[in-house]
Amino acid sequence: MHAEDAPLATIAETHGTPCYVYSKKALTETFQRFETGLQNVDHLICFAVKANPNLGVLSVFAKLGAGFDIVSGGELARVIAAGGDPKKVVFSGVGKTAEEMRDALIAGIFCFNVESQSELVRLNQVAGEMGKVAPVSLRVNPNVDAKTHPYISTGLKNNKFGVAFEDAVAVYQQAAAMDNIDIHGVDCHIGSQITEVSPFIDALDRILSLVDQLEAENITVSHIDVGGGIGITYDDETPPAFDAYTQAILEKLNQKKVKLLFEPGRALVGNAGVLLTKVEYLKPTDSKNFAIVDAAMNDLMRPALYDAYHNIVAATPRIGETTNYEIVGPICETGDFLGHDRALNLAEGDLLVIESAGAYAMSMASNYNSRAKAAEIIVDGAQVHVVREREKISDLFTTEKRLP
Ligand code: LLP
């Protein structure tokens, strides 16, 4: 198996495992595919940094002219370090600190996606102290069911996100009366790994009715941010094609004169990366056959956290009979699994490829069990760029101290 022109086995030999490998071509082509349906439309695609904040990945999108959706001061710093344009940044998140607001105002970001009335009051105050005016959208919670995993559904009434639809007009009126707030848009984001178009259209329908209500109150918005959330194929899911999704949105907009913002994360990177891991031990027991690999839930948390499925294949498949394996890591938790019941023909030392590992994979990695974080690589043709060195054991406790 190759990433572009680079054999995965050679990458694993040279750089070790576990190791994330991304394809620059896949990143680029996926971004361009997202943009094709938007040729004649005023738009900005803001890559959701949380899906994959590696500077190498961000730099690929920055060169393609992407904007970025951030949720922390750390993500803003990464975007700037990667060569991203702060003027194309939207700042989402329910808990922005005053310091994060200041940093974003200094950087001159495109828009704050404000998620509550209290946040609006604080932003007005922080901007006032700096003699600045903050560009604002309200993230409105449209109360639609995204039909996805409950942990990643965000657009329902009982979620912590956004301003309740019923309160939105009143909060916009408050914003309009504030000296250091400038209303630019309206924003929503209903969840992640959504595999149907209809929840997006239901949400947009509500947003458009809000825009009408605002216009009646003499409040105009210059952009609508439809959020992210479009799903990918991990197993047998059939998410809408990008052009079907953007076309449905454009139809619903019905030529309304607004700039259109998108915040895709997973859809741009999820299938552009894999996690390489080596089989350390095969351990047959009475009830199960375990393949113990050198990657674990600290490297890829999605299976443990959401019971998420990632396809797992051998880099060099063996001919012959397969066995059903539990693919597990070395961490001391029963929840430390990467895949259940995978039919593979394995020997100790084999290299496995965990697919669809470009999104919410390395970005959710931890040091649990004092495991150093994996290396990250971007392949460009035959060139192999290490975009994150493997963490050293000594890195793990450089900020810690013994008691005197
Ligand atoms: N915009 C906002 C405000 C978000 O909260 C998110 C994701 C996105 C955009 C991007 O959503 P996407 O296009 O990637 O679906 N860790 C979970 C996913 C959490 C998503 C959080 N918010 C997972 O591994 O499935």
Side-chain angles (χ1 to χ4, degrees):
M1 266 182 102
H2 287 63
E4 300 194 24
D5 301 327
L8 293 178
T10 312
I11 293 177
E13 268 161 39
T14 313
H15 301 283
T17 52
C19 172
Y20 280 98
V21 182
Y22 314 116
S23 154
K24 183 183 172 196
K25 186 165 180 241
L27 295 169
T28 306
E29 288 181 355
T30 310
F31 184 85
Q32 289 168 337
R33 202 153 32 82
F34 199 100
E35 214 163 29
T36 35
L38 301 166
Q39 243 32 289
N40 304 314
V41 185
D42 185 13
H43 71 275
L44 184 61
I45 300 171
C46 296
F47 171 61
V49 174
K50 63 173 81 71
N52 192 326
N54 180 280
L55 291 201
V57 172
L58 299 185
S59 72
V60 171
F61 289 134
K63 286 216 180 83
L64 293 167
F68 297 93
D69 166 54
I70 60 163
V71 290
S72 70
E75 288 190 349
L76 176 60
R78 280 180 175 276
V79 167
I80 294 170
D85 182 354
K87 289 184 204 64
K88 293 183 179 171
V89 165
V90 295
F91 193 169
S92 306
V94 292
K96 302 175 193 78
T97 65
E99 193 183 347
E100 288 175 321
M101 288 173 174
R102 275 192 287 274
D103 288 347
L105 284 164
I106 290 168
I109 65 164
F110 183 73
C111 199
F112 288 86
N113 290 337
V114 170
E115 303 220 14
S116 67
Q117 192 195 12
S118 298
E119 184 192 332
L120 188 66
V121 170
R122 182 187 286 181
L123 182 58
N124 184 46
Q125 190 185 337
V126 170
E129 286 160 8
M130 296 171 72
K132 290 190 181 278
V133 175
V136 159
S137 278
L138 284 194
R139 174 168 175 184
V140 175
N141 188 332
N143 194 23
V144 300
D145 185 358
K147 300 179 193 130
T148 184
H149 192 288
Y151 285 14
I152 53 176
S153 180
T154 54
L156 281 170
K157 241 186 161 139
N158 57 4
N159 297 135
K160 70 179 173 183
F161 300 99
V163 174
F165 188 81
E166 297 71 27
D167 303 337
V169 174
V171 182
Y172 267 104
Q173 281 168 330
Q174 271 184 293
M178 289 177 172
D179 288 340
N180 298 87
I181 296 291
D182 198 10
I183 296 170
H184 280 221
V186 52
D187 166 50
C188 73
H189 171 79
I190 56 172
S192 198
Q193 185 54 17
I194 299 168
T195 52
E196 290 168 49
V197 173
S198 59
F200 293 110
I201 300 305
D202 293 348
L204 184 54
D205 197 50
R206 303 213 78 190
I207 295 298
L208 288 171
S209 83
L210 172 64
V211 170
D212 288 343
Q213 289 177 55
L214 292 175
E215 276 168 5
E217 302 288 329
N218 270 330
I219 297 172
T220 47
V221 295
S222 52
H223 77 248
I224 294 180
D225 182 338
V226 297
I230 196 168
I232 62 168
T233 302
Y234 287 97
D235 185 10
D236 54 5
E237 306 89 337
T238 51
F242 291 159
D243 55 355
Y245 161 76
T246 49
Q247 193 52 39
I249 286 176
L250 292 177
E251 267 167 32
K252 187 82 218 172
L253 263 188
N254 196 17
Q255 323 231 321
K256 200 164 187 65
K257 283 264 160 294
V258 284
K259 189 184 183 89
L260 200 49
L261 266 64
F262 297 86
E263 302 172 355
R266 185 189 324 262
L268 296 186
V269 290
N271 277 328
V274 297
L275 172 59
L276 300 183
T277 182
K278 194 179 78 182
V279 178
E280 291 283 357
Y281 299 103
L282 294 179
K283 182 171 177 179
T285 70
D286 281 351
S287 53
K288 303 248 180 202
N289 289 295
F290 293 98
I292 300 165
V293 299
D294 65 1
M297 65 190 282
N298 75 299
D299 300 297
L300 179 64
M301 199 182 180
R302 303 191 70 258
L305 188 58
Y306 313 115
D307 211 8
Y309 178 92
H310 286 258
N311 196 35
I312 302 176
V313 295
T316 312
R318 292 168 186 282
I319 323 238
E321 249 181 66
T322 61
T323 303
N324 279 2
Y325 283 106
E326 293 293 302
I327 312 291
V328 300
I331 282 183
C332 305
E333 300 230 14
T334 301
D336 179 27
F337 67 91
L338 299 167
H340 293 304
D341 250 345
R342 303 303 173 89
L344 292 159
N345 182 358
L346 296 180
E348 292 181 357
D350 279 3
L351 182 66
L352 294 183
V353 182
I354 304 179
E355 297 184 336
S356 311
Y360 305 109
M362 185 60 175
S363 67
M364 293 173 73
S366 79
N367 291 115
Y368 188 38
N369 275 211
S370 288
R371 288 168 51 84
K373 282 190 192 147
E376 286 178 291
I377 281 168
I378 297 185
V379 174
D380 179 11
Q383 273 180 300
V384 175
H385 302 279
V386 178
V387 289
R388 182 188 178 116
E389 302 281 350
R390 179 176 307 287
E391 206 168 25
K392 294 191 219 50
I393 297 289
S394 56
D395 294 338
L396 292 180
F397 41 85
T398 46
T399 55
E400 296 176 32
K401 286 202 171 53
R402 306 199 313 200
L403 280 188

